[in-house]
Structure formats: C-alpha cells, structure tokens
C-alpha cells in the first residue's frame, strides 16, 4: 500500500518515521524498492527471532520455511515454504492524478 495515503497505518508510521529520522532527504522520494527492503527486514527479524538464540544458517532457513501468515501490516499476510520462495501474488493499483500517487484498488490476488 502507498505510504503517502495510508499514514494512519502503524507499519507505515514506523517506516515513515524511520526514513524521516535517518534519511530526511529521501522522505519525499519514497519508492517501492525501499518498501520491499523494509518488508524484507521485517521478515528477516521475525525469522531470526523464531530461530532462537542459537541462530545459524540452517535454523534461519528452517524458520523462514516455516513462516506462515506473517502480518507485515501493509501487505497481505506472507507465507513461505520449502518450495518456491515467491509469496507475493497480490497487488494493488496506484495512480498519479497530478497530486501524487494514491492507491486506487483493494488487494487483488492470483
């Protein structure tokens, strides 16, 4: 979801606050790549937490493969498994009407 028109969302608020604090010049130029990086960091932290204090490559992979229904707060829940590693089969449409990008649809999943 677009962070610009969902600023009441807790994940968006945390993301925008972090970008504003650490990268103030980037705040007006957010893009989908920084959102994907933020989501990847959330997934990594959750998997590392579930892997426990004896974190290793194998325990991290096992935790990632077991991740089901992970709530990012700004996407559909993400699930992984030992097969294909492409959990994101959903999207929303956004459009720029001259006053910035805004979400124009709900989640569409294949």
């Amino acid at each position: 979801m677009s962070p610009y028109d969902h600023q009441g969302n807790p994940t968006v608020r945390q993301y925008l606050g972090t970008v504003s604090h650490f990268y103030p010049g980037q705040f007006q130029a957010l893009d989908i790549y920084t959102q994907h990086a933020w989501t990847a960091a959330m997934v990594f932290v959750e998997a590392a937490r579930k892997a426990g204090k004896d974190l290793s490559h194998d325990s991290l992979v096992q935790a990632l493969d077991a991740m089901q229904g992970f709530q990012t707060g700004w996407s559909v829940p993400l699930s992984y498994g030992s097969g294909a590693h492409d959990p994101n089969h959903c999207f929303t449409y956004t459009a720029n009407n001259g006053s910035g990008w805004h979400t124009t649809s709900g989640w569409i999943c294949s």
Side-chain angles (χ1 to χ4, degrees):
M1 71 176 53
S2 167
Y4 294 116
D5 57 343
H6 293 92
Q7 293 187 30
N9 175 293
T11 299
V12 171
R13 281 196 313 269
Q14 183 183 32
Y15 168 70
L16 293 177
T18 302
V19 171
S20 178
H21 179 78
F22 292 104
Y23 305 101
Q26 181 67 20
F27 188 79
Q28 294 303 318
L30 298 175
D31 58 35
I32 193 65
Y33 303 108
T34 56
Q35 282 184 265
H36 283 284
W38 188 266
T39 302
M42 287 191 297
V43 168
F44 177 83
V45 167
E46 177 67 9
R49 185 186 67 74
K50 287 189 175 199
K53 66 179 181 162
D54 295 323
L55 179 65
S56 67
H57 175 269
D58 290 339
S59 66
L60 182 62
V61 168
Q62 288 174 353
L64 284 166
D65 283 346
M67 191 172 284
Q68 298 293 310
F70 178 68
Q71 300 288 339
T72 67
W74 63 8
S75 72
V76 296
L78 301 178
S79 297
Y80 292 90
S82 59
H85 295 284
D86 181 15
N88 192 3
H89 295 279
C90 299
F91 61 92
T92 61
Y93 285 105
T94 57
N96 189 328
N97 62 4
S99 65
W101 290 95
H102 300 283
T103 305
T104 62
S105 73
W107 287 106
I108 301 167
C109 300
S110 62

